[in-house]
Amino acid sequence: MPTSDDDIRDPLYIASLGKAMRVLEAFRQARSPLGLTELARLTGLGKSAVQRFTYSWERLGYLVKDPQTRRYALGARVVELGYFFLRDNPLVSRAAPHLVALRESSGLAVNMSVLDGDDMIYLLRLPSLQLTLAEMLPGRRMPPWCNSAGRMLLSTYDDETVRRYINRAPIEAYTRHTVTDPETLVGIIAQARQQNYALTRDQVLVNQIGAAVLLRAEPGLPRAALNVTGPASEYSDARLEQEIVPQLLKAAYAIGCV
């Protein structure tokens, strides 16, 4: 969302619309409905402004209000927007059948991701039986430094650009095995760039492995990564390299050549 001085001075930028979107985006951080006081704190907006925005979003169907608690939650219309995006996105429609085939051949969860600002976002997710609900849903944001798909996406930049990103990113451990040392991460991403695939183990979840490759960049489409996740207890790095990485590369090639 535009927030810089240049954006604010842009005569085409509607500042009030940006503030209204801050109210909706505050629900990214919420695991339960939010009241006006919480929304004001999360957005940095005045309570009266938050009240007008929440009322308007409720009228439009993007928020729903509990009549008992007077707290707000996202409405079903938010999901509808995501449906339209996925239905009409050329990369998603091209990749979907190949991701289904990859899940069938590998037996693992399959994802396709792109960078969005300093985060990565999952566009498609085909789950396995072992995954939690949060891991099944498209649209989830993650920091790219900690997982195989994100590391492949970062590998499209040179070491110095990656270093600048890591130095400004909030780096914190998800598990006791999560790599958090900045220079070690730069080296891991450089290795992924060199070998054209990335492997992870116990970085976000204990007993979870990941393997990822890049999709070929094409004009008009975002650079995307394809990855699988599975139980670490069943996959050594050697097995990933011998069995899973070739399947990922085959799917990525097929998506780029249809």
Side-chain angles (χ1 to χ4, degrees), residues 158-178:
D158 60 48
D159 285 351
E160 190 52 40
T161 302
V162 172
R163 185 174 287 107
R164 287 198 300 269
Y165 162 76
I166 289 174
N167 285 336
R168 72 172 180 267
I171 306 290
E172 55 186 50
Y174 289 88
T175 77
R176 64 187 180 90
H177 302 288
T178 305

Side-chain angles (χ1 to χ4, degrees), residues 23 120 160-161 203:
V23 172
M120 57 166 276
E160 190 52 40
T161 302
Q203 292 297 289

Side-chain angles (χ1 to χ4, degrees), residues 51-187:
Q51 185 175 36
R52 293 193 298 272
F53 289 134
T54 51
Y55 175 81
S56 300
W57 284 127
E58 183 190 9
R59 286 285 302 271
L60 293 169
Y62 292 98
L63 290 180
V64 293
K65 183 179 181 181
D66 186 314
Q68 300 292 325
T69 65
R70 304 179 67 82
R71 299 170 74 83
Y72 291 89
L74 292 175
R77 185 162 287 190
V78 173
V79 180
E80 184 183 25
L81 284 180
Y83 164 76
F84 291 138
F85 169 79
L86 294 173
R87 182 195 66 183
D88 299 331
N89 184 280
L91 180 60
V92 169
S93 60
R94 176 187 293 191
H98 300 286
L99 267 64
V100 172
L102 177 59
R103 183 179 64 174
E104 293 302 310
S105 65
S106 69
L108 301 176
V110 179
N111 310 286
M112 185 173 70
S113 313
V114 296
L115 286 177
D116 184 46
D118 282 347
D119 298 325
M120 57 166 276
I121 187 167
Y122 291 103
L123 295 186
L124 275 180
R125 310 197 79 179
L126 302 181
S128 65
L129 295 177
Q130 294 82 15
L131 295 185
T132 65
L133 176 63
E135 294 176 284
M136 297 180 185
L137 301 177
R140 185 186 185 190
R141 287 179 174 271
M142 287 288 293
W145 57 267
C146 64
N147 61 80
S148 59
R151 289 175 182 178
M152 284 309 301
L153 290 166
L154 289 176
S155 76
T156 61
Y157 301 101
D158 60 48
D159 285 351
E160 190 52 40
T161 302
V162 172
R163 185 174 287 107
R164 287 198 300 269
Y165 162 76
I166 289 174
N167 285 336
R168 72 172 180 267
I171 306 290
E172 55 186 50
Y174 289 88
T175 77
R176 64 187 180 90
H177 302 288
T178 305
V179 177
T180 57
D181 178 70
E183 283 306 308
T184 303
L185 286 169
V186 172

Side-chain angles (χ1 to χ4, degrees), residues 211-231:
V213 300
L214 285 174
L215 299 184
R216 188 176 64 184
E218 292 194 23
L221 295 178
R223 194 64 186 264
L226 185 62
N227 85 300
V228 299
T229 59

Side-chain angles (χ1 to χ4, degrees), residues 108 197-202 207-212 228-246 248:
L108 301 176
Y197 64 88
L199 304 180
T200 56
R201 181 176 299 272
D202 300 328
N207 194 36
Q208 186 183 75
I209 53 89
V228 299
T229 59
S233 57
E234 298 181 16
Y235 286 89
S236 64
D237 286 357
R239 186 183 177 193
L240 285 173
E241 291 172 334
Q242 293 167 10
E243 297 182 17
I244 302 302
V245 171
L248 280 165

